[in-house]
Amino acid sequence: MKKHILIVPGDGIGQEVTAVGKKVLERIAEKFNHEFTYDEALIGHVAIEATGNPLPDETLEKMRASDAVLFGAVGHPKYDNDPSAKVRPEQGLLKMRKELGLYANLRPIKLFDELLSASSIKPEILKGSDILFFRELTGDIYFGEKGRKNDGDTAYDIAEYSKYEVERIARRAFEAAMTRGKRLCSVDKANVLESSRLWREVVQAIAPEYPEVTVEHIFVDAAAMMLIKDPKRFDVVVTANLFGDILTDEASQIAGSMGMLASASVGDSTGVYEPIHGSAHDITGKGVANPLASVLSAALLLDISFGLKDESNAIIAAVDQLLKDGFRTRDIADANTPADKILNTEAAGEELLKRL
Ligand code: GGG
């Protein structure tokens, strides 16, 4: 198969982990006789530094022209601590999602058995957890009108959803539930928010089309609690942009670390695949970031955008083997991990390639 992949490492540890993700794609191409070509583009803080724009037109054009994008992360503490900054790295991320119509963000929360002890949650609560989140990605408070009034003393961000926006993400979640445990949990805050009441109304209206799927509606506050108390009760979860952002960071603790969670953003055109973690400037340049979320994002890319299931499974099996062989990056190591089994980013990539 011939495919063109755009590598967009972005900021901070995005650079370090995406380098490993790319090596894994190269090894897969070699092993399975595919011809993957690559190009690279800027986004986020590095793009602002180079061009003044967090998503240069050239990057967007390259994204549209590619078959899939392997993405890293965006963000820089300089902007986090400067609320008055007019141009911010995250604007590049949001614009990319809107321009490419990436309305569905799939976040599989799968616990590798070997990492049962890496989580602070009790193993008996965790074992067998396997959740697929659908986070809506191009609506909600992230994209509604925002601004200041009263001479800047008051700020607002409007959370807005149309029926169409809810329907298309809900349908994807129902379809996914049909291929899994046939249980769908829709998370909202319908007791308080009008946008959530519309959300619930739309999900309820679609449900009869999927009679085999058991649907439940849970308020986001209760969902946050249940995720930690009883993660196995969830199969597919569908929720709005902001709730999905927060709940999946929480859910990363089910998988042991943010460094283990991959995501796929799909919709109208090119799919974008990236770790759920951000740029993590506290560890940038130290070579200790966990590259497995980027590697697992590459696996999602092969499966979802190219339909290469065997190749995708080969990557997941290699990650599994790496963990079974006792290797850990710092974030998933525990007191029982021998020092010689704790790997830096590059070494984790090398050990993984050996297992591919
Ligand atoms: N790879 C994920 C990433 O870069 N996250 C940084 C960020 O700003 N995330 C906000 C969001 O996902 O909406």
Side-chain angles (χ1 to χ4, degrees), residues 66-339:
S66 65
D67 294 307
V69 176
L70 185 68
F71 192 91
V74 297
H76 193 282
K78 172 175 145 184
Y79 305 90
D80 300 341
N81 298 322
D82 178 11
S84 67
K86 291 278 175 282
V87 181
R88 318 178 67 84
E90 291 77 6
Q91 290 165 344
L93 189 66
L94 297 196
K95 186 171 173 200
M96 172 189 79
R97 292 170 180 167
K98 202 67 172 179
E99 290 285 337
L100 297 180
L102 301 170
Y103 64 85
N105 183 226
L106 282 67
R107 297 187 162 189
I109 314 289
K110 189 155 168 49
L111 172 71
F112 286 89
D113 278 349
E114 297 73 26
L115 294 185
L116 264 176
S117 61
S119 174
S120 47
I121 306 171
K122 289 180 194 138
E124 62 270 26
I125 303 276
L126 282 181
K127 200 166 168 42
S129 299
D130 180 0
I131 309 172
L132 177 58
F133 267 89
F134 279 79
R135 171 189 173 195
E136 199 288 330
L137 207 58
T138 52
D140 203 6
I141 198 161
Y142 284 61
F143 289 92
E145 194 187 318
K146 52 183 86 254
R148 298 263 175 139
K149 54 188 183 182
N150 300 336
D151 291 330
D153 276 358
T154 308
Y156 60 91
D157 299 270
I158 294 181
E160 195 174 311
Y161 269 119
S162 69
K163 281 189 175 176
Y164 168 70
E165 286 173 315
V166 182
E167 203 176 306
R168 62 185 179 174
I169 182 88
R171 281 194 193 285
R172 279 194 182 250
F174 272 106
E175 294 293 339
M178 286 295 290
T179 67
R180 295 172 44 106
K182 296 191 170 65
R183 287 179 291 130
L184 178 68
C185 174
S186 174
V187 175
D188 61 35
K189 188 70 184 167
N191 53 342
V192 177
L193 304 176
E194 194 56 39
S195 54
S196 278
R197 282 192 276 274
L198 177 104
W199 180 282
R200 191 174 284 215
E201 194 181 298
V202 173
V203 176
Q204 280 171 341
I206 297 174
E209 294 175 37
Y210 299 89
E212 288 175 57
V213 178
T214 307
V215 184
E216 65 172 342
H217 300 268
I218 305 187
F219 297 140
V220 63
D221 40 354
M225 179 269 290
M226 286 176 196
L227 259 180
I228 298 302
K229 188 167 180 252
D230 184 16
K232 285 194 283 277
R233 79 190 295 290
F234 295 103
D235 175 22
V236 177
V237 178
V238 63
T239 191
N241 203 342
L242 178 63
F243 298 156
D245 192 1
I246 298 167
L247 288 179
T248 53
D249 265 33
E250 183 193 354
S252 72
Q253 292 315 297
I254 295 167
S257 164
M258 290 266 279
M260 293 302 299
L261 287 198
S263 87
S265 300
V266 294
D268 300 335
S269 60
T270 317
V272 175
Y273 299 84
E274 64 181 304
I276 79 153
H277 65 69
S279 51
H281 278 266
D282 52 332
I283 56 165
T284 296
K286 295 185 179 158
V288 298
N290 183 347
L292 295 181
S294 178
V295 168
L296 293 168
S297 298
L300 282 178
L301 181 158
L302 294 170
D303 181 6
I304 298 175
S305 275
F306 301 168
L308 298 175
K309 195 84 189 158
D310 289 347
E311 288 80 342
S312 177
N313 285 339
I315 296 176
I316 296 167
V319 170
D320 200 32
Q321 194 55 53
L322 180 82
L323 298 172
K324 280 201 172 93
D325 292 342
F327 290 108
R328 301 285 185 271
T329 43
R330 211 179 57 170
D331 57 315
I332 48 174
D334 61 24
N336 300 319
T337 313

